[in-house]
Amino acid sequence: MELTGTIGSLIGKKGGQVWSLDPAASVYDAITMMAEKEVGALPILDGRNLLGIVSERDYARKVILMGRSSKDTTVTDIMSSPVVSVSPSQTIEECMRIITEKRIRHLPVMESGRIVGMVSIGDLVKWVITAQQETIRHLESYIAGTPAY
């Protein structure tokens, strides 16, 4: 695992399960699903079309701080759009740069116009840490003169 590994590889290890919501869903529905699925953001899909993404950050800033009701507000009222997305062929390093520059925490992975996965900053950091651990293990084996396993 290296920083030049692809998002497709990460999705392959993580799994490509994507939970999403319809544009008519309430913010309450979104928060409930995020809690149940233990995710921090959900794509908003109209059929196969990605309209936006709603995150815990959107909820905090656009519902709670604005005094809105989560049951009376739709996800389209608070979602972030247009969405920054990536393709499975992009590298981990490219995605780390995008997330850092755009100050976002989640990236939908799109292929042929449809969403095939979601990656978070946590997924990317976990990949980098694992890659560093593998590099250290290989270097230790090299220094010790033992074969890497």
Side-chain angles (χ1 to χ4, degrees):
M1 288 188 192
E2 53 197 41
L3 284 179
T4 57
T6 65
I7 290 301
S9 298
L10 190 154
I11 293 291
K13 286 192 179 280
K14 172 188 172 180
Q17 179 67 48
V18 177
W19 293 280
S20 64
L21 287 172
D22 183 86
S26 71
V27 171
Y28 182 84
D29 295 334
I31 295 301
T32 300
M33 183 180 279
M34 283 186 238
E36 287 173 359
K37 305 300 183 185
E38 297 181 346
V39 296
L42 295 167
I44 308 304
L45 301 177
D46 185 11
R48 296 177 84 179
N49 298 323
L50 178 62
L51 300 180
I53 189 166
V54 65
S55 68
E56 293 167 330
R57 182 185 285 179
D58 291 321
Y59 174 68
R61 293 180 179 178
K62 299 173 187 173
V63 176
I64 298 298
L65 289 177
M66 302 302 261
R68 292 171 145 172
S69 164
S70 60
K71 290 187 178 184
D72 297 328
T73 305
T74 64
V75 290
T76 54
D77 292 335
I78 70 160
M79 70 183 183
S80 297
S81 181
V83 179
V84 176
S85 64
V86 295
S87 72
S89 63
Q90 286 184 265
T91 66
I92 303 298
E93 185 174 4
E94 288 173 314
C95 293
M96 290 287 281
R97 189 178 66 257
I98 290 166
I99 278 183
T100 301
E101 288 173 1
K102 302 286 185 183
R103 303 180 134 245
I104 55 178
R105 297 178 184 174
H106 303 88
L107 286 170
V109 181
M110 304 292 290
E111 186 171 42
S112 302
R114 70 180 192 95
I115 190 165
V116 295
M118 286 279 287
V119 293
S120 69
I121 184 68
D123 297 328
L124 298 172
V125 168
K126 182 178 177 182
W127 182 278
V128 170
I129 289 170
T130 301
Q132 289 174 342
Q133 290 170 338
E134 285 184 20
T135 299
I136 290 167
R137 186 172 44 85
H138 286 281
L139 289 171
E140 288 173 340
S141 294
Y142 176 77
I143 291 168
T146 58
Y149 49 99

